[in-house]
């Protein structure tokens, strides 16, 4: 009997030890996997017992004490440094199929919403063009062309606007002094001046990101950024995903592939088969935006004019991008 009691006592002690040890391993694993510091608990402070489930970067579901969760501080200097470098091994290009465009203006709306722009502030504009009196009119979406030889960059006196290795041209609004030299240097008038701060409320904890460029800052210059923040996540620009007709293709020149989200095609073959071209290539700026000519158009050009502001209707009366 004494031997049995001794065995029970040893067994209980072992279970108690394993139980305590097991809890310790659990906490250690959570701390190691999730990257949270439990120093507060180890220093004697007690937790309420409220646990929160979290998904770790490697896909594991873990539980951590609610009090142990700490907000991650974003390194804005590092964000700016990465924004200036761009994505290695990439060269982004855009192809716009003029035969498909019916002036739905969904690209404009999505761009304005995504970058918190007022309605009279357009980074991508639509124009109604006609080559001559004997040809038909067609819609012409015009974003920033992200030129390989950008005149806007060469004239900026403070280095606020710059071109990255992946071909995207950005503006650091926190460095921009509002001199407008870049606006004068751009032959396509693709830049706009922020005359006032946006009348929108920023999300709590918002940190300025040059790849997203929100909010626009009063007294600085803004423009289409090829949705660099989405490119970093391997996503299409907002204008491309919003277009109901699949007008806008986006992709990587090095991979020779572009897509509108529905159709994925070879970039060079598409240009060769459809006679793709750059707008005003004679200027020698080498735009990263290419156009497919408006042959065999899918919609009559008269669509999309109604229900627009007088300023937009007036723009449609003029020939040529402004």
């Amino acid at each position: 009997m004494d031997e049995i009691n001794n065995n029970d006592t040893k067994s209980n002690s072992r279970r108690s030890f394993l139980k305590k040890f097991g809890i310790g391993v659990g906490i250690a694993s959570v701390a190691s996997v999730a990257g949270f510091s439990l120093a507060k608990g180890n220093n004697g402070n007690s937790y309420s017992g409220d646990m929160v489930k979290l998904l770790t970067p490697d896909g594991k579901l873990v539980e951590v004490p609610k009090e142990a969760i700490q907000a991650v501080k974003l390194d804005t200097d590092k964000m700016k440094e990465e924004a200036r470098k761009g994505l290695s091994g990439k060269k982004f290009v855009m192809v716009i199929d003029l035969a498909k465009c019916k002036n739905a203006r969904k690209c404009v709306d999505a761009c304005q919403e995504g970058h918190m722009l007022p309605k009279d502030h357009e980074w991508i504009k639509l124009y109604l063009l006609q080559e001559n009196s004997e040809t038909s009119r067609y819609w012409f979406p015009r974003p920033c062309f992200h030129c390989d030889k950008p005149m806007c960059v060469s004239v900026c006196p403070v280095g606020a606007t710059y071109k990255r290795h992946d071909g995207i041209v950005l503006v650091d609004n926190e460095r921009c002094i509002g001199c407008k030299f870049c606006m004068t240097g751009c032959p396509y008038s693709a830049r706009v001046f922020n005359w006032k701060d946006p009348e929108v409320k920023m999300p709590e904890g918002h940190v300025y990101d040059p790849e997203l460029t929100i909010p626009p800052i009063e007294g600085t210059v803004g423009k289409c950024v090829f949705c660099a923040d989405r490119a970093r996540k391997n996503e299409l620009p907002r204008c491309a995903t919003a277009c109901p007709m699949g007008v806008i293709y986006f992709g990587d020149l090095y991979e020779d592939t572009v897509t509108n989200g529905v159709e994925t095609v070879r970039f060079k073959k598409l240009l060769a088969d459809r006679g793709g071209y750059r707008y005003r290539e004679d200027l020698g700026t080498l735009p990263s935006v290419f156009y497919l000519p408006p042959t065999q158009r899918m919609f009559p050009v008269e669509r999309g004019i109604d229900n627009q502001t007088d300023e937009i209707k007036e723009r449609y009366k003029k020939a040529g991008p402004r």
Side-chain angles (χ1 to χ4, degrees):
M1 181 62 74
D2 291 341
E3 185 177 352
I4 294 175
N5 290 337
N6 288 338
N7 289 337
D8 288 343
T9 302
K10 290 178 181 179
S11 178
N12 290 334
S13 299
R14 186 165 54 250
R15 283 198 295 270
S16 298
F17 170 77
L18 290 174
K19 185 177 181 181
K20 293 177 182 178
F21 180 74
I23 292 174
V25 170
I27 293 176
S29 298
V30 168
S32 174
V33 173
F36 291 112
S37 172
L38 298 183
K40 181 178 178 182
N42 292 336
N43 288 338
N45 296 332
S46 60
Y47 295 128
S48 64
D50 294 335
M51 305 296 286
V52 177
K53 289 184 172 61
L54 297 174
L55 190 64
T56 66
D58 56 355
K60 294 180 180 177
L61 186 63
V62 298
E63 282 189 333
V64 296
K66 181 179 179 181
E67 295 81 358
I69 300 175
Q70 299 179 5
V72 176
K73 289 187 178 180
L74 297 177
D75 188 338
T76 54
D77 290 339
K78 186 175 182 180
M79 287 175 60
K80 288 185 177 181
E81 182 181 342
E82 293 298 321
R84 282 191 171 262
K85 291 179 181 176
L87 303 179
S88 61
K90 298 286 186 180
K91 176 68 171 64
F92 294 111
V93 292
M94 179 177 285
V95 180
I96 298 177
D97 189 348
L98 299 177
K100 294 180 180 177
C101 184
K102 65 173 186 177
N103 192 31
R105 293 183 57 83
K106 298 300 183 183
C107 56
V108 179
D109 294 339
C111 177
Q112 291 177 323
E113 181 179 353
H115 297 97
M116 299 186 176
L117 301 174
K119 284 298 181 183
D120 60 348
H121 216 82
E122 297 177 351
W123 283 358
I124 180 171
K125 285 191 174 184
L126 280 128
Y127 295 92
L128 187 56
L129 299 190
Q130 186 175 22
E131 303 301 336
N132 57 61
S133 59
E134 297 180 351
T135 60
S136 300
R137 297 178 297 171
Y138 59 93
W139 295 109
F140 185 90
R142 191 237 49 207
C144 170
F145 289 156
H146 296 269
C147 304
D148 283 344
K149 293 183 177 179
M151 298 181 184
C152 54
V153 171
S154 61
V155 298
C156 180
V158 296
T161 185
Y162 52 93
K163 185 171 181 64
R164 317 195 311 185
H165 295 304
D166 56 14
I168 297 178
V169 176
L170 294 182
V171 181
D172 186 346
N173 282 154
E174 292 190 340
R175 181 178 291 192
C176 177
I177 59 175
C179 67
K180 303 181 185 176
F181 285 1
C182 59
M183 296 179 67
T184 304
C186 176
Y188 310 108
S189 300
R191 293 177 172 241
V192 294
F193 192 76
N194 299 313
W195 292 100
K196 60 182 181 180
D197 286 328
E199 298 175 352
V200 294
K201 185 178 180 181
M202 290 294 106
E204 185 178 353
H206 170 74
V207 176
Y208 175 74
D209 179 358
E211 292 188 337
L212 186 57
T213 320
I214 64 169
I217 299 176
E218 180 181 2
T220 64
V221 175
K223 70 171 198 67
C224 156
V225 293
F226 258 9
C227 285
D229 61 310
R230 293 173 66 95
R232 187 173 290 280
K233 295 183 288 188
N234 202 29
E235 297 176 354
L236 290 175
R238 294 168 176 82
C239 57
T241 56
C243 179
M245 303 313 304
V247 171
I248 302 174
Y249 294 77
F250 190 78
D252 183 5
L253 176 67
Y254 297 152
E255 293 183 353
D256 191 26
T257 304
V258 291
T259 180
N260 60 3
V262 176
E263 179 187 26
T264 301
V265 295
R266 289 295 182 189
F267 169 68
K268 293 179 181 176
K269 187 175 188 302
L270 178 64
L271 295 186
D273 291 347
R274 296 283 306 279
Y277 66 96
R278 288 164 160 150
Y279 180 76
R280 293 299 310 271
E281 191 156 13
D282 56 303
L283 296 176
T285 58
L286 303 179
S288 297
V289 177
F290 297 78
Y291 288 94
L292 304 180
T295 56
Q296 298 180 340
R297 288 187 300 281
M298 300 172 62
F299 303 98
V301 74
E302 289 75 17
R303 297 182 61 165
I305 297 179
D306 296 336
N307 302 322
Q308 303 299 333
T309 65
D310 292 339
E311 185 274 335
I312 293 176
K313 288 181 180 178
E314 187 65 23
R315 183 198 309 162
Y316 290 162
K317 296 179 182 178
K318 302 176 182 178
R322 297 292 189 272

